[in-house]
């Protein structure tokens, strides 16, 4: 037992090593937060482009671009995308690494969000579109006030899941030397030569965050479900 | 007020509507009957361009809607209310919001005016106490009455009904038909696709029988039901009456 306490002290208390974890956590949360916003915004736009094309035949060129985008992003690993954005796209300019990470994870997430939202829009009965347009609402008003709110509610669990996946995916940010939570734990390990404590701590922190997010989402879902018991 | 000239509609190789020419005047209550697959719903849905005609022209108040830009089509639809078989209420909105959404978002009324109008319409359809409920909490008959109120909120010149009672439990058909009868009495121009022969007999100013994508026969209801001229009409009536 005293051995355990000693290891705990060495790992976290000695030289204030716990700050690697808290600072790392902060970085992880910042990257996740902004990447989620970017991913959701871009993902919604792509989804609307794709469904508008499917339903009306308009937006041919944007649809092709979106299609290529989805194929490339979903067909390559996120680490490779991260490395390419950092070393190739921004290779010759000095740039904030956090920004690069937000961009890489946001662009990656957008592809998955787009497909989730698209399936949500497609799941809405065509009668809803018809009801909207029979009242004289144009396509975009029908989309904004009638279709998207329902689609959003339907895909909320999947979107929340995507956020959780994204949070965990940011753990590869260390590839471009960002001191995120994972990197923080690994840094402690390299100093103390003791792997168990810091890595389990890192895992626990991720787990707790995911559990909190899951709880928040199911609360939100229950509140939304109240509105339309069918 | 609605002039249809040489209307054809095909879905792929399936030729649904065959060269239909027809006029519907203001104040008329036209009831369209016919076997399933006869094209009666498609015909109705062409009138406000829910279906795009393959060829032919449709004039509403003298304007050719088949050559209109989308923006004008949307304006045209504002004066043509439509009621669907499956209600198509907006499940994420309260009854009041279902009724006020279009008038408010199209800036035809302020929120207060629209709420007032909704109140008045809910009174008319006998569901004033449901304003803050969601569609999911209503019975089928109630939903359809709300759907009618929603269409009426736009102050349409004509109402199109696409089998409004076909998805209802039998005991709920009456309440919807009664509301439609009341609407007819108020002088609304109506085009109704239905299987309710009693309604056709009582309310129609003209009954139209469609089969195989054509209008086979039409007449005022007394004449139509007592002495149908066409053999196919007689066959159909002998099965449904």
């Amino acid at each position: 037992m005293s051995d355990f306490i000693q290891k705990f002290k060495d790992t976290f208390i000695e030289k204030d090593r716990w700050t690697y974890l808290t600072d790392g956590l902060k970085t992880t949360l910042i990257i996740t937060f902004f990447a989620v916003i970017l991913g959701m915004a871009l993902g919604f736009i792509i989804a609307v482009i794709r469904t508008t094309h499917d339903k009306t035949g308009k937006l041919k060129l944007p649809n092709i671009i979106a299609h290529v985008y989805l194929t490339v992003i979903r067909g390559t690993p996120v680490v490779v995308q991260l490395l390419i954005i950092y070393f190739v796209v921004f290779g010759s300019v000095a740039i904030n690494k956090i920004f690069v990470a937000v961009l890489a994870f946001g662009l990656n997430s957008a592809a998955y969000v787009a497909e989730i939202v698209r399936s949500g829009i497609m799941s809405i009965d065509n009668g809803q579109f018809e009801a909207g347009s029979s009242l004289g609402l144009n396509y975009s008003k029908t989309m904004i006030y009638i279709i998207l709110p329902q689609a959003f509610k339907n895909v909320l669990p999947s979107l929340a899941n995507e956020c959780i996946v994204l949070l965990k995916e940011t753990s590869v940010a260390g590839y471009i030397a960002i001191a995120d939570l994972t990197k923080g734990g690994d840094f402690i390990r390299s100093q103390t030569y003791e792997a168990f404590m810091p890595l389990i701590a890192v895992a626990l922190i991720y787990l707790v965050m995911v559990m909190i997010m899951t709880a928040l989402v199911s609360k939100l879902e229950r509140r939304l479900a109240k509105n339309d018991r069918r | 007020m609605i002039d249809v000239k040489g209307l054809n509609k095909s879905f792929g190789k399936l030729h649904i509507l065959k060269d239909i020419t027809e006029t519907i005047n203001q104040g008329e209550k036209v009831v369209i009957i016919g076997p399933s697959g006869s094209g009666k719903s498609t015909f109705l849905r062409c009138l406000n361009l829910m279906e795009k005609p393959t060829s032919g022209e449709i004039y509403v108040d003298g304007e050719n809607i088949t050559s209109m830009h989308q923006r004008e089509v949307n304006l045209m639809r504002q004066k043509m209310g439509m009621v669907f078989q499956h209600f198509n209420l907006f499940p994420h909105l309260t009854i009041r919001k279902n009724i006020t959404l279009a008038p408010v978002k199209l800036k035809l009324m302020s929120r207060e005016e629209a709420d007032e109008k909704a109140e008045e319409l809910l009174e008319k359809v006998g569901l004033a106490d449901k304003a803050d409920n969601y569609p999911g909490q209503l019975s089928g008959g109630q939903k359809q009455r709300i759907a009618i109120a929603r269409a009426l909120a736009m102050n349409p010149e004509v109402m199109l009904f696409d089998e409004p009672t076909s998805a209802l439990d039998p005991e709920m058909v009456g309440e919807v038909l009664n509301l439609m009868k009341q609407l007819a009495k108020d002088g609304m121009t109506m085009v109704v696709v239905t299987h309710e022969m009693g309604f056709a007999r009582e309310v129609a100013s003209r009954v139209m029988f469609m089969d195989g994508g054509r209008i086979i026969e039409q007449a005022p209801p007394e004449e139509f039901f007592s002495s149908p001229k066409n053999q196919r009409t007689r066959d159909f009536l002998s099965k449904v009456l």
Side-chain angles (χ1 to χ4, degrees):
Chain A
M1 189 62 194
S2 66
D3 189 38
F4 183 85
I5 291 168
Q6 188 54 46
K7 270 189 189 168
F8 187 86
K9 273 187 182 159
D10 282 350
T11 305
F12 300 116
I13 314 292
E14 187 87 359
K15 290 186 181 163
D16 283 343
R17 287 197 180 108
W18 57 274
T19 56
Y20 287 122
L21 296 185
T22 51
D23 289 351
L25 175 60
K26 215 167 80 189
T27 306
T28 291
L29 288 178
I30 288 170
I31 294 173
T32 307
F33 179 75
F34 288 105
V36 162
I37 291 176
L38 176 62
M40 293 284 167
L42 190 58
F44 259 85
I45 292 170
I46 295 173
V48 169
I49 289 173
R50 302 255 293 148
T51 44
T52 301
H53 176 265
D54 288 355
K55 287 202 179 278
T56 67
K58 288 176 191 159
L59 301 177
K60 270 210 178 77
L61 185 64
N63 181 57
I64 292 172
I65 296 170
H67 194 75
V68 171
Y69 181 79
L70 295 184
T71 309
V72 171
I73 294 288
R74 297 198 300 163
T76 53
V78 66
V79 184
V80 177
Q81 292 162 16
L82 178 69
L83 291 174
I84 288 175
I85 290 178
Y86 186 60
F87 290 111
V88 179
V89 178
F90 294 113
S92 53
V93 282
I95 191 153
N96 185 327
K97 284 179 195 162
I98 306 276
F99 172 76
V100 171
V102 167
L103 198 61
F105 293 118
L107 291 178
N108 179 270
S109 182
Y112 295 93
V113 170
E115 286 305 271
I116 293 170
V117 174
R118 190 166 87 101
S119 74
I121 295 173
M122 290 316 228
S123 74
I124 302 298
D125 183 51
N126 205 37
Q128 294 288 310
F129 276 100
E130 289 189 349
S133 49
S134 81
L135 290 164
L137 295 168
N138 62 22
Y139 182 81
S140 58
K141 283 203 168 90
T142 304
M143 205 64 175
I144 292 168
Y145 298 115
I146 298 169
I147 307 302
L148 285 180
Q150 296 183 62
F152 180 70
K153 191 153 55 174
N154 287 354
V155 299
L156 195 64
S158 311
L159 284 180
N161 204 37
E162 174 57 26
C163 291
I164 290 170
V165 168
L166 188 59
L167 172 77
K168 292 185 289 179
E169 250 176 17
T170 60
S171 63
V172 299
Y175 270 90
I176 58 169
I178 288 176
D180 73 325
L181 177 59
T182 307
K183 196 74 179 171
D186 199 43
F187 204 67
I188 298 175
R189 182 193 59 77
S190 70
Q191 285 192 353
T192 60
Y193 303 109
E194 151 63 36
F196 180 82
M197 284 269 179
L199 295 185
I200 293 296
V202 166
L204 279 177
I205 295 172
Y206 277 114
L207 182 62
V208 168
M209 285 193 297
V210 168
M211 285 166 68
I212 291 172
M213 284 165 80
T214 312
L216 284 177
V217 171
S218 52
K219 205 171 156 187
L220 183 62
E221 256 180 79
R222 273 201 302 278
R223 236 177 57 190
L224 287 172
K226 255 192 224 157
N227 290 353
D228 61 358
R229 298 257 154 73
R230 285 165 208 231
Chain B
M1 77 169 291
I2 303 176
D3 279 300
V4 180
K5 288 184 182 158
L7 173 66
N8 279 280
K9 173 68 184 174
S10 303
F11 291 105
K13 280 192 180 134
L14 215 57
H15 199 173
I16 302 289
L17 295 179
K18 292 166 190 159
D19 214 24
I20 293 183
T21 297
E22 191 52 62
T23 298
I24 293 160
N25 293 311
Q26 182 129 25
E28 271 198 296
K29 294 102 186 63
V30 177
V31 173
I32 307 174
I33 60 173
S36 25
S38 60
K40 54 193 193 305
S41 273
T42 307
F43 173 63
L44 185 81
R45 288 163 57 81
C46 279
L47 296 182
N48 66 346
L49 296 189
M50 282 291 119
E51 302 291 351
K52 212 173 153 27
T54 310
S55 69
E57 287 153 11
I58 300 170
Y59 295 84
V60 175
D61 291 339
E63 288 179 87
N64 185 355
I65 64 171
T66 42
S67 64
M68 276 181 176
H69 287 289
Q70 191 57 46
R71 186 173 312 190
E72 299 167 287
V73 170
N74 294 333
L75 285 173
M76 171 274 292
R77 282 175 178 155
Q78 291 180 19
K79 49 187 186 184
M80 302 178 83
M82 185 163 215
V83 175
F84 301 88
Q85 183 177 358
H86 295 287
F87 332 126
N88 297 347
L89 293 181
F90 309 132
H92 62 301
L93 299 176
T94 61
I95 298 307
R96 181 183 286 116
K97 285 265 170 71
N98 262 275
I99 296 172
T100 59
L101 179 79
V104 171
K105 297 303 176 194
L106 292 169
K107 300 194 168 60
L108 303 174
M109 299 177 197
S110 69
R111 171 140 293 288
E112 292 74 34
E113 287 169 334
D115 281 346
E116 220 167 283
K117 177 89 182 168
E119 209 77 17
E120 184 188 309
L121 285 168
L122 285 172
E123 202 73 51
K124 184 181 174 115
V125 303
L127 293 167
D129 54 330
K130 302 290 186 192
D132 295 309
N133 287 74
Y134 283 88
Q137 299 164 313
L138 270 52
S139 73
Q142 292 174 330
K143 280 183 197 167
Q144 196 60 299
R145 281 146 70 195
I146 297 298
I148 293 171
R150 180 177 68 177
L152 289 176
M154 299 295 293
N155 295 318
E157 294 172 17
V158 54
M159 288 280 283
L160 310 176
F161 293 85
D162 187 5
E163 304 202 22
T165 58
S166 296
L168 297 177
D169 290 339
E171 79 265 28
M172 292 170 183
V173 170
E175 59 189 79
V176 173
L177 291 182
N178 281 336
L179 175 58
M180 290 168 64
K181 281 177 205 167
Q182 188 192 328
L183 217 57
K185 223 182 285 166
D186 294 347
M188 177 64 75
T189 310
M190 295 163 70
V191 185
V192 185
V193 170
T194 187
H195 296 289
E196 297 293 330
M197 296 304 145
F199 177 82
R201 212 187 277 265
E202 190 178 335
V203 177
S205 52
R206 172 153 59 113
V207 181
M208 197 182 273
F209 174 69
M210 283 186 73
D211 192 19
R214 290 198 170 84
I215 298 170
I216 303 293
E217 179 168 0
Q218 53 179 325
E222 315 79 53
E223 187 186 330
F224 181 90
F225 287 106
S226 59
S227 54
K229 293 179 183 62
N230 192 287
Q231 185 55 42
R232 262 190 285 178
T233 317
R234 263 175 275 171
D235 289 347
F236 178 76
L237 288 177
S238 71
K239 277 178 213 150
V240 297
L241 289 178

